[in-house]
Each structure stands twice: as C-alpha cells, then as structure tokens.
Amino acid sequence: MTTIDQKCRIDLNYNLTDAERQPPPTPLTATNMPTDNDSGSLHPSVISLMECIELSVQSLLKSNFVSSEDKQGAKQNQTKGLVNGLGSVNIDALKSDLEPVLQSLRKVDAEGMLQLQRQASGSGREEDCFVGIGNRIQVAPIHKKIIPPPPACWIEGDSHRCVRYLHVTENPGRYSVGIFVFPPGASIPLHDHPEMCVLSRILYGELSVKSYDILAEKERKQEYSSPGHKSAQSHSKTVEKSYSDNKTWFSTITSTLRRQLSNNTRLSSDEISEATAPEGAKHVINKTTKIIRAPDVTSLFPLQGNLHEFTAGKNGAAVLDVLLPPYDFDHDRDCTFYQEASLCRSGNSDVYLLVPIPQPGEFHCISGKYLDFGEE
C-alpha cells in the first residue's frame, strides 16, 4: 500500500539520478510508530516524565473508569488502558490528574536531552539562525541534523518545510511521547485529537497557534434552538464520525484519484452551509490565535482546544508532545484535517463550521532519527 509521501517520492523519481534514487523515509502512521526506546538511553528528565505519565494514567483509570468494588472491571481497564478515549471524563478531573505531567514537562531539560549547541546571537554569520529555549539562551535548531534528510523534491533552496517526527516512547492504549521538529516557517494544518488529551512543551523556538473548542452536542442544540436560528431538530444529527475521504499522515491512500484530491482542498465559504455540510463536520467555538514560545507548556482536552494548527517562527521550533491516548485508527482515533467553512452567529459567541478535508498536498510529516530519538 503506497503512502502519500511515498507516492510523492515515486512520482518524482524520474528527475533523479541513480545515486539519488533511494527508499523514501517512513511516514508516521498509527500502525508503524516505533516501539519503546530503551529507557537507559534517554535523558533523566525524560525518564522522570515517563514515570509521571504512568502514575497519572493509573490515577485516571482508578478514579474515572472503575468503582472501588468493581474488581473485575478494574482488571479489564488495566488491560485496555485508555483505548476508548477520554471523552467521558470530566474536564476538571482530567486537569487534576494530568497536572503532575504538566509540572514534569516544565522540568524537562531541552538543552540536555537534545544536546543543543549554544550560540551567541549576533555572530554575523548568515547560516547562524538561532532559536530561544528560555532565559535568553539561544541555540542552533536541529531540523537539518535529522536523518534521513527529506526527499529532494520537498526542499526549497537551502531550507525545507517538511515537519519531522522523533519517537520517544509509547505505552500502547495509554500514551505516546514524541517530538515534532519544525523547520523555519513549517506548518501542521488544522487537525483534531478525537477523545484525547495532548500535553506539550515547547523545547525551542516559537509557533503561532490557532485553536478551537468543540461545541458539545447538548450545547449546540441549545444554541440553535434560540430565537433567530433554525430549529434544533435540523441540527441534531451527530457529526463525529471521520469523513470517509479523509487522508492524514496516519492514513494511507490506494489510488491516484485520492492523491489528486489532496491538491484541491480549499473550499469557499459559499460552497458549504449547514444544510450541505459533509459527514464529519464539526461545530466549534472560541477561535483563538496566539504565539507560544519556549519553554511554554500547553494542553488540550477532548473538547477544549481540541482542534489546532501550528506555524513555526522564522527560525523553526521543536515541541515535545504527550498524547493520551495515542492516535489509533482501529478505535476511531485517526487524525482528521479540517477547513473553516462558515461562521454562524449564535447568541454572544461565534460558532464556526469546520469541514473535513483530505491531507493538504503541501504538508509532509515524516519520521526520522536524531541521537537516541526516533528511527531511520
């Protein structure tokens, strides 16, 4: 089965010499994520983070999924972990149980774990594009040090916009930890995290983040039943199922047609309305755009801030992500890309309609290796 990024490489092979023709890097998918790294090779602050995550997951399972007298249920949940997602857990409980993980992320030694090279700003050398890690410390970014390099067809001049993923560790059905490395100006388009929590630490650099909250079904019915809106009945259909034609970096494609669709995904707001919205569309609120910088720590939850997009600053960025639970296609937690289609006024708040789209053709995210993180 051919992946999106492999097809890009294969289609452009005719422009390459025999020496340049080499297997493409493995794209990140839900089914091929690497297994756990040997904890003995990881930085101490990362090991501490992993231990903290394990304790928080245990707390989530104990306090939110089973009762004290349900011993059989407890045994089953210990086996299944968080495979069914966290959408049923109260957000206050989630924040309480996951706060220790946020505290641990704040203590991560980004400079030590990535062996970042400090630079003195203002050196005058054109190639010295420094990024901050906090406390006015400037370091050299690592996107050009990840192996293998991205395919030549994605490189623009002396830089590229291919996002790289470095696997750190994973406990299947519970959590995964990885690092997303952004070259200067690179982006991850608007996407969701179904029934998941994501806790992040900016390791270096800065990013512009646009995010939305998902409007809960109950609230959506109340909003649209208010005066001046259509009846709640016309908006009561649940729209949480993934769009069948969606393609993400966790998905694969099997035809040239789907690949062509990925190059034509921008829709006019006039083309999509409440009545014509495709299956999988989401109603969202609290549209927010902000700049986050190292060493900021952020979080999102099953409804709060669940859809977001990133664009790195002029010198790039790196983000350490903790996903609870991980993306999992078999449990309806594949990652879906979206596009803002329309704006609906609803009381004192704005309600936006987001529609699922194929993976944008200009977006590439491939796994790689740097130090003891990831794989070639």
Side-chain angles (χ1 to χ4, degrees):
M1 188 172 290
T2 304
T3 65
I4 295 169
D5 294 330
Q6 285 172 334
K7 183 171 282 293
C8 172
R9 179 67 167 175
I10 292 169
D11 289 348
L12 295 180
N13 255 347
Y14 68 91
N15 286 326
L16 305 179
T17 66
D18 290 338
E20 290 174 319
R21 287 190 178 95
Q22 51 186 319
T26 303
L28 178 64
T29 69
T31 57
N32 73 350
M33 288 185 71
T35 55
D36 285 333
N37 278 316
D38 178 6
S39 61
S41 65
L42 295 176
H43 191 271
S45 61
V46 179
I47 296 175
S48 296
L49 172 64
M50 291 163 54
E51 294 172 346
C52 184
I53 297 170
E54 288 284 0
L55 291 174
S56 291
V57 170
Q58 292 290 344
S59 178
L60 279 170
L61 291 171
K62 182 178 180 181
S63 60
N64 297 288
F65 289 93
V66 295
S67 60
S68 57
E69 65 273 11
D70 189 2
K71 296 182 180 180
Q72 183 62 30
K75 182 177 180 180
Q76 292 176 352
N77 272 310
Q78 291 297 321
T79 301
K80 293 183 179 179
L82 307 176
V83 293
N84 294 321
L86 296 170
S88 63
V89 182
N90 178 274
I91 188 170
D92 292 330
L94 285 173
K95 290 182 176 181
S96 176
D97 285 330
L98 296 178
E99 177 60 28
V101 180
L102 289 174
Q103 295 296 337
S104 184
L105 282 169
R106 292 186 176 96
K107 297 176 182 178
V108 167
D109 176 10
E111 186 176 9
M113 69 177 285
L114 295 179
Q115 297 182 21
L116 299 173
Q117 182 180 1
R118 288 197 186 193
Q119 300 283 355
S121 59
S123 68
R125 296 204 309 251
E126 184 177 348
E127 65 270 20
D128 284 337
C129 297
F130 311 129
V131 287
I133 60 172
N135 296 323
R136 299 185 178 180
I137 298 173
Q138 298 288 309
V139 298
I142 66 170
H143 59 276
K144 292 184 179 180
K145 299 179 181 180
I146 298 172
I147 56 175
C153 62
W154 299 343
I155 297 177
E156 299 178 358
D158 190 42
S159 63
H160 59 83
R161 293 185 294 174
C162 174
V163 179
R164 307 304 300 270
Y165 178 81
L166 304 173
H167 178 72
V168 177
T169 190
E170 179 175 5
N171 187 333
R174 296 195 175 196
Y175 65 86
S176 66
V177 183
I179 301 170
F180 286 92
V181 180
F182 295 76
S187 299
I188 296 181
L190 183 63
H191 61 283
D192 68 349
H193 309 81
E195 304 288 307
M196 298 161 60
C197 292
V198 181
L199 311 179
S200 304
R201 159 72 186 271
I202 314 304
L203 299 175
Y204 67 68
E206 68 176 37
L207 300 115
S208 174
V209 183
K210 180 167 71 174
S211 64
Y212 302 83
D213 294 351
I214 297 175
L215 185 63
E217 183 72 11
K218 180 179 179 181
E219 296 176 9
R220 188 161 66 91
K221 289 179 180 180
Q222 293 174 345
E223 293 282 4
Y224 282 100
S225 63
S226 62
H229 294 281
K230 298 178 183 179
S231 67
Q233 181 178 2
S234 64
H235 298 278
S236 62
K237 182 180 179 181
T238 302
V239 290
E240 299 302 320
K241 184 180 179 182
S242 295
Y243 185 37
S244 60
D245 202 23
N246 173 64
K247 300 184 294 296
T248 74
W249 69 82
F250 294 114
S251 303
T252 56
I253 58 173
T254 58
S255 69
T256 303
L257 175 60
R258 288 193 175 188
R259 178 171 171 268
Q260 291 172 342
L261 285 174
S262 69
N263 296 322
N264 186 25
T265 60
R266 298 295 183 262
L267 301 174
S268 166
S269 59
D270 295 333
E271 298 177 35
I272 300 293
S273 66
E274 288 292 316
T276 62
E279 186 177 34
K282 291 184 184 294
H283 292 79
V284 295
I285 56 175
N286 297 333
K287 178 180 179 180
T288 303
T289 302
K290 63 181 180 180
I291 301 295
I292 54 177
R293 299 181 176 89
D296 289 349
V297 171
T298 67
S299 58
L300 64 81
F301 299 91
L303 295 179
Q304 190 178 96
N306 191 269
L307 295 100
H308 64 196
E309 65 180 34
F310 294 102
T311 301
K314 64 178 182 179
N315 294 332
V319 182
L320 176 64
D321 267 358
V322 179
L323 278 63
L324 301 105
Y327 285 112
D328 188 338
F329 181 81
D330 292 333
H331 290 87
D332 295 324
R333 277 199 312 281
D334 200 9
C335 180
T336 304
F337 290 100
Y338 289 87
Q339 173 187 330
E340 186 177 306
S342 62
L343 169 64
C344 311
R345 293 287 176 180
S346 182
N348 294 324
S349 63
D350 293 338
V351 178
Y352 298 86
L353 179 67
L354 303 184
V355 296
I357 60 173
Q359 172 174 303
E362 69 276 10
F363 171 64
H364 302 287
C365 180
I366 57 175
S367 58
K369 184 174 179 60
Y370 173 80
L371 302 177
D372 294 319
F373 301 112
E375 64 173 9
E376 292 187 45

